[in-house]
C-alpha cells in the first residue's frame, strides 16, 4: 500500500464540559489517543454510537481543530508546521461533505453561483471554461441535464440532489480524500443507496478516497474497505472484515443491534436491549467497555486494553479476550459457528 495521505498519531482532543448541576466543569476526552492512517483510493468507515468521538475525529482529519496533544500529518508532514502553499494543497486535496446538505449550501445563491465562486477563488478554470466545467461536474454526480440544476436555489432541490451538489462541489477540487460526516443520515433510505452508489462510482472513476463517519453499519458494510469502530474516544477494532468476523464485544453488540428483521430468529433486534453508553466524563478503570461487557474478567478491571494486531487477518482489536471471543461470535449469514449469546464464555 502507498504512504498514507493523512495520519493521526497519538491524537487526543479534550473539551471542558459544564456539569449538569451548573456548578463546576469536567474535562472530557472526546478523542483519546488514536493512531490512524488514511490512504488514497480507499473507503474507510468510522462507526460507533453518538458520543463515541466520530465527529471530533472527522474534524481532526479535516484539520478544523487543533488536537490537545498528538500529531496530525498530511503526506507525512506535521500539519502544524505546514507553510501556506502546503496548507493550500491540503485544502484542495482533502475535502469535506457534511451531514445536512441544505445548511452547507448558501440559500441565497443559485447552484451555479455557489460553484462558480469556488472555481474563481481557486482559479480552477478560465472565465470561458467555467460553465462547461460546472455542467460536467453536475453530470458526474448524476444531475442531468445540468442546466436544470445550475439555475435553481438549494430549497428547490430534494435532499438527495442537495447532497449530490455538495459532493460535486468537493469533487471540483480533484481531491485525494473526501471526509464525509454522516452524509446519509438526513436522507431517505432509497436515496441513501443512490448516494452510496455515487460514492462507489466516483471512487472507481477518479480513485478518490472516502472517510465516511456513520452510525449505519449496514450502509458502511456495502462500501467500506476498512472499518474503524469507535467507543468513548478510542478505536476498539479496525479491519476489513469486522462485519462478518467481529472480534470486539462492542462490534458484536453494534452488529446485533442493527434494527434488522432477523430471518433466522424471526424477531427484531434493537439497540434498546443493550445497556447504554455511560457519559464520557465517567470513564471506568481498566477497559472502558467493561460496564457493558458480558465477557469481562478480573483483568479487564485493572488493565486498559490497547489496540493490537490479531494473528489472523488485517484486524487490530483492543480487548484482552479478542482471540478467544472472536471464535464464538456469530453473525447471521457471516458463516461463523457458535451460540450468538456467547453464554458459555460469559465471565
Ligand atoms: Fe470486555 Fe474485557 Fe474485552 Fe473489555 S477487555 S471488551 S471488558 S472482555
Amino acid at each position: 500500500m502507498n504512504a498514507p495521505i493523512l495520519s493521526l498519531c497519538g491524537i487526543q482532543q479534550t473539551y471542558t464540559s459544564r456539569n449538569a448541576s451548573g456548578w463546576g466543569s469536567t474535562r472530557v476526552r472526546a478523542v483519546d489517543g488514536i493512531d490512524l492512517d488514511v490512504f488514497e483510493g480507499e473507503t474507510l468507515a468510522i462507526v460507533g454510537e453518538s458520543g463515541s468521538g466520530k465527529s471530533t475525529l472527522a474534524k481532526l482529519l479535516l484539520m478544523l481543530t487543533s488536537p490537545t496533544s498528538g500529531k496530525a500529518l498530511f503526506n507525512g508532514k506535521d500539519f502544524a508546521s505546514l507553510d501556506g502553499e502546503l496548507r493550500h494543497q491540503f485544502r484542495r486535496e482533502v475535502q469535506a461533505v457534511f451531514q445536512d446538505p441544505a445548511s452547507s449550501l448558501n440559500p441565497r445563491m443559485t447552484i451555479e453561483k455557489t460553484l462558480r465562486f469556488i472555481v474563481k477563488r481557486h482559479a480552477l478554470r478560465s472565465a470561458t471554461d467555467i460553465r462547461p466545467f460546472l455542467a460536467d461536474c453536475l453530470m458526474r454526480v448524476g444531475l442531468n441535464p445540468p442546466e436544470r440544476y445550475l439555475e435553481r436555489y438549494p430549497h428547490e432541490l430534494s435532499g438527495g440532489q442537495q447532497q449530490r451538489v455538495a459532493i460535486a462541489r468537493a469533487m471540483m477540487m480533484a481531491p485525494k480524500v473526501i471526509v464525509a460526516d454522516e452524509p446519509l443520515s438526513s436522507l431517505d433510505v432509497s436515496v441513501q443507496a443512490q448516494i452510496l452508489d455515487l460514492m462507489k462510482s466516483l471512487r472507481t472513476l477518479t480513485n478518490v478516497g472516502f472517510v465516511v463517519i456513520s452510525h449505519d453499519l449496514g450502509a458502511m458494510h456495502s462500501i467500506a474497505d476498512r472499518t474503524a469502530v469507535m467507543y468513548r474516544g478510542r478505536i476498539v477494532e479496525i479491519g476489513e472484515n469486522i462485519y462478518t468476523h467481529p472480534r470486539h464485544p462492542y462490534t458484536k453488540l453494534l452488529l446485533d443491534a442493527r434494527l434488522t428483521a432477523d430471518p433466522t430468529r424471526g424477531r427484531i433486534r434493537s439497540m434498546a436491549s443493550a445497556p447504554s453508553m455511560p457519559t464520557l466524563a465517567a470513564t471506568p478503570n481498566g477497559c472502558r467497555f467493561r460496564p457493558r461487557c458480558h465477557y469481562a474478567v478480573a483483568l479487564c478491571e485493572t488493565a486498559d486494553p490497547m489496540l493490537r494486531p490479531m494473528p489472523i487477518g488485517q484486524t487490530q482489536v483492543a480487548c484482552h479476550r479478542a482471540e478467544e471471543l472472536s471464535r464464538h461470535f456469530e453473525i447471521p449469514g457471516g458463516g461463523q459457528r457458535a451460540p450468538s449469546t456467547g453464554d458459555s464464555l460469559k465471565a
Side-chain angles (χ1 to χ4, degrees):
M1 201 177 259
N2 297 329
I5 296 174
L6 299 174
S7 298
L8 300 179
C9 308
I11 213 101
Q12 276 196 354
Q13 185 69 55
T14 307
Y15 296 116
T16 302
S17 157
R18 185 159 287 282
N19 294 338
S21 64
W23 296 94
S25 56
T26 310
R27 296 290 284 170
V28 174
R29 282 188 208 152
V31 168
D32 189 9
I34 282 185
D35 296 306
L36 184 67
D37 290 326
V38 178
F39 298 92
E40 186 174 357
E42 78 163 344
T43 300
L44 170 65
I46 298 176
V47 301
E49 294 162 272
S50 296
S52 59
K54 307 186 299 294
S55 290
T56 305
L57 193 68
K59 282 187 194 146
L60 288 162
L61 285 168
L62 287 164
M63 318 284 174
L64 294 176
T65 181
S66 299
T68 310
S69 64
K71 278 185 183 172
L73 309 180
F74 171 56
N75 286 332
K77 297 193 179 83
D78 187 348
F79 184 78
S81 65
L82 293 188
D83 61 21
E85 177 49 35
L86 283 173
R87 281 188 182 231
H88 190 60
Q89 183 187 345
F90 172 84
R91 293 291 168 221
R92 278 197 319 267
E93 293 188 357
V94 182
Q95 289 289 307
V97 169
F98 297 103
Q99 177 174 358
D100 180 6
S103 64
S104 72
L105 298 169
N106 188 329
R108 296 202 190 91
M109 286 171 124
T110 62
I111 301 306
E112 175 163 3
K113 269 195 177 169
T114 295
L115 300 182
R116 202 175 261 275
F117 174 77
I118 295 163
V119 176
K120 285 185 178 166
R121 185 172 171 192
H122 294 274
L124 299 177
R125 290 292 185 280
S126 64
T128 51
D129 290 340
I130 291 180
R131 178 86 183 188
F133 175 62
L134 297 185
D136 184 54
C137 289
L138 290 193
M139 282 195 289
R140 277 206 290 174
V141 298
L143 294 175
N144 214 358
E147 298 74 26
R148 183 190 295 172
Y149 299 97
L150 282 170
E151 277 143 35
R152 291 190 187 173
Y153 287 87
H155 74 269
E156 296 176 303
L157 303 179
S158 68
Q161 289 166 344
Q162 289 170 349
Q163 198 59 293
R164 284 174 191 270
V165 171
I167 292 171
R169 180 176 56 185
M171 289 299 295
M172 280 166 56
M173 309 295 285
K176 299 264 175 66
V177 177
I178 294 177
V179 179
D181 188 3
E182 297 280 5
L184 309 174
S185 61
S186 64
L187 306 176
D188 293 341
V189 173
S190 61
V191 181
Q192 289 180 7
Q194 293 167 15
I195 297 294
L196 289 171
D197 284 345
L198 173 63
M199 290 161 73
K200 281 188 226 171
S201 72
L202 289 173
R203 198 182 80 151
T204 305
L205 283 172
T206 67
N207 201 35
V208 64
F210 285 94
V211 178
V212 189
I213 314 292
S214 179
H215 61 273
D216 185 343
L217 276 77
M220 293 305 98
H221 190 181
S222 70
I223 60 162
D225 299 309
R226 287 191 302 149
T227 299
V229 181
M230 282 193 73
Y231 185 75
R232 296 179 59 103
R234 289 255 182 96
I235 292 175
V236 295
E237 178 161 5
I238 180 167
E240 295 174 357
N241 60 355
I242 66 125
Y243 302 95
T244 51
H245 296 80
R247 290 164 170 90
H248 194 284
Y250 180 57
T251 310
K252 180 69 166 65
L253 176 73
L254 288 179
L255 290 165
D256 281 352
R258 280 187 288 175
L259 192 59
T260 306
D262 182 344
T264 64
R265 295 181 177 80
R267 62 191 167 99
I268 303 280
R269 314 180 88 184
S270 89
M271 202 67 185
S273 63
S276 60
M277 184 160 63
T279 63
L280 276 168
T283 301
N285 293 330
C287 176
R288 58 193 62 204
F289 187 61
R290 182 171 49 86
R292 300 173 75 185
C293 186
H294 294 304
Y295 311 102
V297 291
L299 176 65
C300 309
E301 210 168 320
T302 53
D304 190 2
M306 294 293 125
L307 211 54
R308 60 195 171 85
M310 293 291 101
I312 302 171
Q314 301 289 315
T315 303
Q316 296 181 65
V317 184
C319 170
H320 298 306
R321 301 184 70 192
E323 292 87 345
E324 179 193 359
L325 293 175
S326 65
R327 289 197 291 274
H328 296 272
F329 284 162
E330 176 207 5
I331 299 299
Q336 279 202 307
R337 177 190 59 78
S340 65
T341 57
D343 283 339
S344 61
L345 289 161
K346 285 182 181 175

